[in-house]
Amino acid sequence: MTSTASPLVWTLFVAVVVTVLALDLGVFHRSARRVHMREGAVWVAVWVGLAMAFNAFVFYRFGNERGLNFLQAYLLEQALSVDNVFVFIFIFSYFRVPEAFQHRVLFWGILGAVLTRGVFVVAGVALISRFHWIMYGLGVFLIATAVKMLTKGDEDLDLSKNRILRLFRRLVPTTEHYEGAKFTVVRNGRRFATPLLAVLVVVEATDVMFAVDSIPAVFGVTTDVFIVYTSNIFAVLGLRSLFFLVAGLVSKLHLLKHGVALILAFIGVKILIEPIYRFSEVLSLSVLAGILIISTILSLVIPPKAEPVTDDAPPKA
């Protein structure tokens, strides 16, 4: 397992993350309320600013190569985070989660992601350092994932068939209605989960599935555990704010998903051809940023296809 960072640097990083999370929930979002698009945009700017400040530290402390690795990995994770946002929008719509409670669910969901992705990163780097051929398997996996994203279309998720949700409902007694922003309540001396806890469980399970795609993709940039984990976590920490920003633009960014698929394919090809040709960090970063910019511009220029309207369409709830 490789890592450029000393225990002191790791401690500094953890201290920054814990402090910002404490301020987020304990000060700025102490009470449950709706987060508007403008506030989401401000917080996106804050999180990106923190990530870029940390990136500057990486450049200063570890040199240009590691600095470019962090920037490329962070942009990659941000691109993949947009796909997470689309799924979170669907989940909240399916469960009819009130807007005032959405930030609370995302906060605890992302706090869980900080821990679970740490396990994924450590396990992945340990395996790669011991069995390097796994990298080529990851390359094939990323290309296959990209093809699936490009060909499967935009069919809706069917949460009624979600195994995690079905198991949760079978094993955990749950109230029929939301109880404010509470995840559990006590009724007649017995503790019940609320539907909000079911939403949190689905969000956590969804993030684990996304981690299966995103972390192998970052391994295509670097296997330095410090760069992989910190870039991943900075992107994850900004995911809540990105949700409230992108939720208002979701219909306009319809081609961004295709851009994400192309990025995954590029990283997969990059891994497979590395013994023959190694992309420079600057070239890789340019390709990744170029795909993101072009797919965003095309999304704004080319209108999405209109949904077919049928006479037997069910009325909106």
Side-chain angles (χ1 to χ4, degrees):
M1 184 185 303
T2 60
S3 175
T4 54
S6 65
L8 179 61
V9 175
W10 274 106
T11 302
L12 176 64
F13 168 72
V14 172
V16 170
V17 170
V18 171
T19 300
V20 175
L21 286 175
L23 287 172
D24 189 346
L25 189 64
V27 178
F28 297 106
H29 298 98
R30 177 180 294 182
S31 58
R33 60 180 177 81
R34 178 186 178 188
V35 178
H36 294 276
M37 183 176 170
R38 177 179 294 181
E39 183 180 354
V42 171
W43 275 101
V44 166
V46 169
W47 284 113
V48 171
L50 285 173
M52 292 302 96
F54 189 80
N55 193 191
F57 167 76
V58 173
F59 269 107
Y60 173 77
R61 181 69 175 79
F62 304 113
N64 291 341
E65 182 178 355
R66 291 294 187 244
L68 289 172
N69 283 341
F70 179 92
L71 182 57
Q72 187 180 169
Y74 176 73
L75 287 177
L76 174 60
E77 287 295 337
Q78 284 286 49
L80 293 171
S81 293
V82 175
D83 210 26
N84 290 41
V85 168
F86 293 155
V87 176
F88 290 162
I89 291 172
F90 177 83
I91 291 172
F92 287 153
S93 175
Y94 178 86
F95 285 100
R96 295 185 173 87
V97 180
E99 292 182 342
F101 306 154
Q102 292 177 1
H103 181 275
R104 182 175 176 83
V105 172
L106 290 176
F107 177 88
W108 290 107
I110 288 168
L111 184 61
V114 169
L115 302 175
T116 56
R117 293 197 180 206
V119 174
F120 271 68
V121 170
V122 171
V125 172
L127 285 172
I128 291 170
S129 62
R130 189 180 180 114
F131 308 104
H132 183 71
W133 56 266
I134 290 178
M135 284 294 297
Y136 301 111
L138 292 178
V140 173
F141 171 76
L142 292 174
I143 294 173
T145 301
V147 172
K148 183 178 178 181
M149 290 178 66
L150 289 171
T151 58
K152 73 176 183 178
D154 297 322
E155 66 262 18
D156 289 335
L157 299 172
D158 188 355
L159 290 182
S160 64
K161 298 179 181 178
N162 185 284
R163 294 182 181 179
I164 300 296
L165 179 59
R166 292 170 66 180
L167 182 63
F168 177 87
R169 286 173 168 169
R170 185 181 306 153
L171 298 178
V172 182
T174 307
T175 62
E176 292 185 7
H177 305 289
Y178 290 105
E179 302 287 342
K182 296 178 180 178
F183 290 114
T184 64
V185 293
V186 176
R187 296 278 176 81
N188 299 321
R190 186 183 180 190
R191 185 165 294 278
F192 289 83
T194 70
L196 204 63
L197 183 59
V199 177
L200 176 60
V201 169
V202 174
V203 166
E204 290 280 16
T206 301
D207 182 76
V208 170
M209 290 188 294
F210 276 111
V212 173
D213 291 337
S214 67
I215 291 177
V218 179
F219 286 150
V221 176
T222 178
T223 57
D224 186 310
V225 65
F226 181 72
I227 300 299
V228 173
Y229 186 65
T230 55
S231 62
N232 202 286
I233 295 309
F234 270 108
V236 166
L237 290 176
L239 182 56
R240 286 161 300 134
S241 304
L242 188 65
F243 169 85
F244 294 108
L245 174 62
V246 175
L249 302 173
V250 62
S251 62
K252 297 181 180 180
L253 299 176
H254 59 288
L255 295 179
L256 199 55
K257 189 181 186 73
H258 296 80
V260 171
L262 292 177
I263 288 173
L264 290 179
F266 168 71
I267 298 295
V269 171
K270 177 184 171 185
I271 292 173
L272 294 178
I273 69 172
E274 186 174 10
I276 304 172
Y277 176 78
R278 186 179 186 278
F279 283 85
S280 69
E281 304 304 332
V282 174
L283 179 57
S284 296
L285 182 60
S286 300
V287 171
L288 192 153
I291 293 175
L292 283 177
I293 293 172
I294 292 173
S295 59
T296 300
I297 293 174
L298 290 179
S299 294
L300 299 176
V301 172
I302 303 174
K305 294 181 179 179
E307 293 287 339
V309 179
T310 58
D311 294 336
D312 57 348
K316 293 183 179 179

